[in-house]
Amino acid sequence: FRVQGPLGRFLHSLASGAFGLMSVILPVFLFAVAIRLMRHSGRGSGNPRVVIGLTVLFWVVCSILDVELASQADGFDIEAMQHAGGLVGYVVGTPLAWGLSETFAVVVFVIIGIFAVLLVARIHVEDIPDICRNIVAKFRGDAAQVKCERERHERDDDACRQRDDGSSFILH
């Protein structure tokens, strides 16, 4: 934001040292999170889940930036960290890139990021095949099949069968 003066330069170096390139996006990110938290307040809002998921997603992006832009630096280089993922990305990104490889580190962080998005969206991993199947069926024009599959799945979740010995079990 082209801050001038000693206080502005100090705040910029503090933010860029902690979050790197993401320090530019951080105010917009925090504003969006604050709006979401205020609009969905109360019991059952899922706010802790959303905050944890978005925090992990932010950390993942910082780590990927650090792996790609600063992991080649020898030792602890604050200047390189400020132009990459900051200290947040450096804590996990650089050791993982040094210990294994940059490509493997990015793949690990992308997988963690996908799980963070699933956490925010409140999607269970076991629901992904059904979601993919429904998307494919919609593109094929099988809307009736999608509706039948959804109804069948809801009935199966609610169905409880009796065994011969009187105990019950749930169909899946």
Side-chain angles (χ1 to χ4, degrees), residues 12-48:
H12 172 71
S13 64
L14 187 67
S16 66
F19 304 110
L21 293 175
M22 293 298 288
S23 66
V24 176
I25 298 171
L26 185 63
V28 176
F29 177 76
L30 290 176
F31 181 75
V33 170
I35 296 296
R36 198 279 180 205
L37 294 177
M38 287 187 288
R39 292 194 66 200
H40 300 91
S41 61
R43 283 199 157 136
S45 65
N47 283 344

Side-chain angles (χ1 to χ4, degrees), residues 1-13:
F1 294 105
R2 308 266 186 223
V3 290
Q4 302 299 324
L7 181 60
R9 285 193 301 268
F10 172 73
L11 291 175
H12 172 71
S13 64

Side-chain angles (χ1 to χ4, degrees), residues 77-156:
D77 185 8
I78 190 71
E79 190 72 29
M81 279 190 343
Q82 287 180 329
H83 298 292
L87 191 59
V88 171
Y90 178 82
V91 167
V92 176
T94 298
L96 193 59
W98 286 345
L100 300 171
S101 71
E102 291 180 18
T103 306
F104 183 72
V106 170
V107 168
V108 167
F109 289 127
V110 167
I111 291 170
I112 294 171
I114 290 170
F115 279 107
V117 169
L118 292 175
L119 182 65
V120 171
R122 199 177 191 174
I123 297 174
H124 293 277
V125 176
E126 61 190 25
D127 294 337
I128 294 174
D130 291 334
I131 292 170
C132 292
R133 199 174 304 116
N134 288 339
I135 290 171
V136 169
K138 285 180 184 178
F139 281 123
R140 288 183 181 165
D142 300 337
Q145 180 183 358
V146 170
K147 185 177 178 183
C148 289
E149 285 289 323
R150 189 180 313 127
E151 289 173 356
R152 183 187 60 80
H153 185 66
E154 289 171 0
R155 279 194 314 266
D156 287 347

